[in-house]
Amino acid sequence: PADTIGTVEVNGQTSPQAGVVTVYSASYDGPAPQGDVTYTWTATPSTGVTLAAGDKPEEQVITFTTAASVVSTAIKCVINDSSASDDGANDTLTVVPHFVIGTGTVAGGNTTVVKDVATAAYSVTFTGASSPAADDLVYAWTSTPTSGSFSSATSATPTFTATAAGDYQIKCTVTSADSDPGSVVCTQKALTVTDS
């Protein structure tokens, strides 16, 4: 019988984690010999997407590496066999990558400052986060009590200046439009403010 590729199917995760290697595979149900076929993979759009050969001819290793890649993406595989009547048979899988914020912890800052003399600088560190997640994060800093102010309550690295003595808890809530979960309350940092 004449070679045919038949129906092509692309398989893999439809919601892959950005920054993590994901393996996709293609299969076909026609009698074309495996040794005669070639696989050509594309990602559309391709910005921030890396493609590499997998361990098997029918596999492709794909990584979504930047904020620009976290959009609906068409993963397409074209199977060619020059002697097949349906040479160029293909399939497309639509995927939507996502970031993972991970666990946030407020870092930096002194543990004790003197009111009206010193400020404390803070940042957030993440555990288990997708490497490009910082491209997509929004920060909201608060203090309890509220006697004092941040240089910018929406900055990734603000400073806090207290206006009254006391024991403070510095907190940051991190939100994201393209990450899981959509919001994370970071582990707080204690700050003691003295009068002198």
Side-chain angles (χ1 to χ4, degrees), residues 22-114:
T22 305
V23 177
Y24 290 88
S25 64
S27 61
Y28 62 96
D29 61 5
Q34 182 69 255
D36 291 351
V37 303
T38 59
Y39 301 83
T40 303
W41 293 84
T42 56
T44 306
S46 61
T47 302
V49 184
T50 61
L51 292 88
D55 293 335
K56 300 175 181 177
E58 68 273 15
E59 292 181 344
Q60 187 77 178
V61 177
I62 300 177
T63 309
F64 299 88
T65 61
T66 67
S69 68
V70 183
V71 295
S72 180
T73 303
I75 304 298
K76 182 178 181 179
C77 182
V78 178
I79 299 181
N80 291 109
D81 177 352
S82 59
S83 62
S85 59
D86 56 351
D87 179 44
N90 62 83
D91 185 38
T92 300
L93 180 68
T94 300
V95 306
V96 181
H98 67 282
F99 293 138
V100 172
I101 296 178
T103 301
T105 302
V106 175
N110 303 321
T111 54
T112 303
V113 298
V114 178

